[in-house]
């Protein structure tokens, strides 16, 4: 069974700080997606990474896919209250496997 | 362009009652997914359709759950009879073409179901 573990489960930091959240598995994925979910809404896709070692940037967010395509990280620089939400990773195996998410709170 | 539409947004019902959740996918999308989200289990895929045909229903918890897609613009998820452990937020999502594991899924706002 393919599993995706996200860490930390919960993170609360002050505005302006940097942070990194992780998505790990013992399985190899063909690609991996990161979604952000705000309260009362459905998840929204942020990025898809496909190649081992790939790095993608979305403004202050930097996504990296591990060389072995088993893990990924999301780094946020100078976090803002608008970054608050649940961050979900989803890996493509024989089907799409979802992590449990990291709940991120950025305090003003 | 309207996104995925779900109704109702909130549903409160008593144990044993039938519950029907509705979804209208984005026009032109050929994949439709039903998910359940809880604090304990996170986001779980229940079933997905391709061109109105159910492809994988292995995530449907038990026979009390059923899903239909009579046409390209409408799908239902039915729970009969409902139980308190079915309380969760149910999401519908749709995507266009290709592998459902690669292409972006567009989620609806969800239906928050509470079974008392």
């Amino acid at each position: 069974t393919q599993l995706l573990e996200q860490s930390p489960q919960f993170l609360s930091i002050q505005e302006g700080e940097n942070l990194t959240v992780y998505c790990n598995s013992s399985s190899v994925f063909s690609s991996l997606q990161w979604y952000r979910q705000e309260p009362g809404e459905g998840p929204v896709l942020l990025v898809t990474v496909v190649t081992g070692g790939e790095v993608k940037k979305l403004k202050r967010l930097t996504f990296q896919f591990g060389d072995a395509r088993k893990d990924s990280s999301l780094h946020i620089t100078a976090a803002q209250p608008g970054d608050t939400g649940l961050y979900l990773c989803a890996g493509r195996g024989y089907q799409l496997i979802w992590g449990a998410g990291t709940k991120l709170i950025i305090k003003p | 362009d309207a996104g995925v539409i779900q109704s109702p947004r909130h549903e409160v019902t008593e144990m044993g009652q039938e519950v029907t959740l509705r979804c209208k996918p984005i026009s032109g999308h050929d994949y439709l997914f039903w998910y359940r989200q809880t604090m304990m289990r996170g986001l779980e895929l229940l079933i997905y359709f391709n061109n109105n045909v159910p492809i994988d229903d292995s995530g449907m918890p038990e026979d009390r759950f059923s899903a239909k897609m009579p046409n390209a613009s409408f799908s239902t998820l039915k729970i009969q009879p409902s139980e308190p452990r079915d309380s969760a937020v149910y999401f519908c999502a749709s995507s266009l073409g290709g592998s459902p594991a690669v292409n972006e899924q567009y989620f609806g706002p969800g239906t928050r179901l509470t079974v008392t």
Side-chain angles (χ1 to χ4, degrees):
Chain A
T1 302
Q2 294 180 304
L3 293 173
L4 270 173
E5 295 187 357
Q6 291 191 244
S7 61
Q9 291 183 338
F10 178 80
L11 184 59
S12 178
I13 62 172
Q14 292 294 136
E15 180 178 2
E17 295 183 16
N18 301 332
L19 67 105
T20 303
V21 298
Y22 301 92
C23 176
N24 295 304
S25 176
S26 58
S27 302
V28 176
F29 293 101
S30 302
S31 63
L32 193 138
Q33 297 175 329
W34 284 92
Y35 287 77
R36 179 169 66 206
Q37 183 179 14
E38 298 186 14
E41 299 181 7
V44 175
L45 180 67
L46 295 174
V47 75
T48 301
V49 285
V50 180
T51 306
E54 182 177 4
V55 177
K56 282 192 173 180
K57 292 191 175 184
L58 187 65
K59 296 183 180 179
R60 294 175 294 99
L61 279 60
T62 301
F63 304 85
Q64 184 164 7
F65 201 13
D67 291 341
R69 290 184 287 124
K70 293 182 178 181
D71 54 82
S72 182
S73 63
L74 159 59
H75 181 80
I76 302 179
T77 303
Q80 299 178 2
D83 297 326
T84 292
L86 178 68
Y87 288 81
L88 295 160
C89 64
R92 178 194 179 192
Y94 73 95
Q95 62 177 341
L96 198 60
I97 308 298
W98 291 84
T102 292
K103 186 172 184 179
L104 177 63
I105 295 177
I106 310 300
K107 296 177 286 186
Chain B
D1 186 19
V4 175
I5 299 172
Q6 291 187 248
S7 65
R9 292 295 309 275
H10 301 274
E11 177 79 42
V12 180
T13 191
E14 293 183 347
M15 182 174 62
Q17 297 297 306
E18 177 180 295
V19 175
T20 299
L21 311 181
R22 297 172 175 80
C23 175
K24 177 179 170 56
I26 292 174
S27 177
H29 281 192
D30 54 352
Y31 282 87
L32 183 140
F33 307 84
W34 281 102
Y35 288 92
R36 177 173 67 178
Q37 187 176 41
T38 62
M39 290 291 292
M40 291 296 294
R41 301 175 67 91
L43 196 64
E44 301 173 278
L45 177 64
L46 300 178
I47 185 172
Y48 76 90
F49 297 82
N50 178 218
N51 292 323
N52 312 337
V53 176
I55 302 301
D56 184 353
D57 65 354
S58 59
M60 296 286 263
E62 47 196 275
D63 292 345
R64 298 185 297 106
F65 286 68
S66 62
K68 294 182 180 180
M69 192 166 185
N71 57 64
S73 60
F74 184 66
S75 178
T76 59
L77 178 67
K78 185 176 294 185
I79 308 173
Q80 166 63 19
S82 59
E83 296 183 2
R85 60 189 168 127
D86 302 330
S87 297
V89 181
Y90 290 81
F91 288 101
C92 176
S94 68
S95 68
L96 175 63
S99 165
V102 173
N103 289 358
E104 178 176 3
Q105 294 186 23
Y106 293 80
F107 284 77
T111 295
R112 181 174 294 276
L113 173 64
T114 302
V115 183
T116 61

